[in-house]
Amino acid sequence: FKVLQLLKTSGKRTNEDQEMLENEIVSTLASGGNDSQLEEAYNEIGEYYFERQKHDMAVKYFIIGRNLERQAECYYILEDYNSLYKI
C-alpha cells in the first residue's frame, strides 16, 4: 500500500479500503493507467487480499492491474460465472 502511495503523486488517501479503491480506480482511469510499476503495485495488493481470502477486494485490484488470470481465479472462487464468462 505504501509503494502505491509513493507511486501516485496526486489524490487523497482514506483509511477505508473501499474508498481508497474507488479513488485509485478514478485516478488510474484518468491518467491512462499504462505505468507498469502501478500495475505491479495493484497486482501485489490484489495478492495481499487474495492470500487473506478477500477475493471480492482482490479481484478489483487485479482488474486495475490487468491480471486476467488472477481475475478468473477470483471469479471462480466467488462463483461469479457471468464475470468469468466475460473475461
Side-chain angles (χ1 to χ4, degrees), residues 52-69:
R52 285 154 182 81
Q53 298 180 353
K54 296 182 179 182
H55 301 104
D56 56 329
M57 286 297 294
V59 74
K60 294 174 184 177
Y61 283 98
F62 290 138
I63 290 169
I64 299 171
R66 298 182 180 132
N67 189 336
L68 293 176
E69 183 177 337

Side-chain angles (χ1 to χ4, degrees), residues 6-51:
L6 291 172
L7 288 172
K8 300 291 286 178
T9 58
S10 65
K12 294 183 179 180
R13 302 288 184 250
T14 65
N15 291 334
E16 298 294 319
D17 288 336
Q18 189 64 31
E19 290 178 34
M20 184 179 90
L21 176 61
E22 290 170 3
N23 290 338
E24 294 302 326
I25 290 171
V26 171
S27 178
T28 300
L29 293 175
S31 67
N34 58 3
D35 187 355
S36 64
Q37 289 179 323
L38 278 174
E39 285 183 9
E40 183 178 351
Y42 284 120
N43 281 309
E44 289 299 322
I45 293 172
E47 291 295 333
Y48 170 87
Y49 285 117
F50 190 89
E51 290 171 1

Side-chain angles (χ1 to χ4, degrees), residues 59 68-87:
V59 74
L68 293 176
E69 183 177 337
R70 294 304 262 172
Q71 286 178 50
E73 289 180 52
C74 288
Y75 287 140
Y76 182 78
I77 291 169
L78 293 169
E79 298 178 1
D80 184 353
Y81 300 115
N82 288 332
S83 297
L84 185 59
Y85 176 76
K86 289 178 185 177
I87 62 167

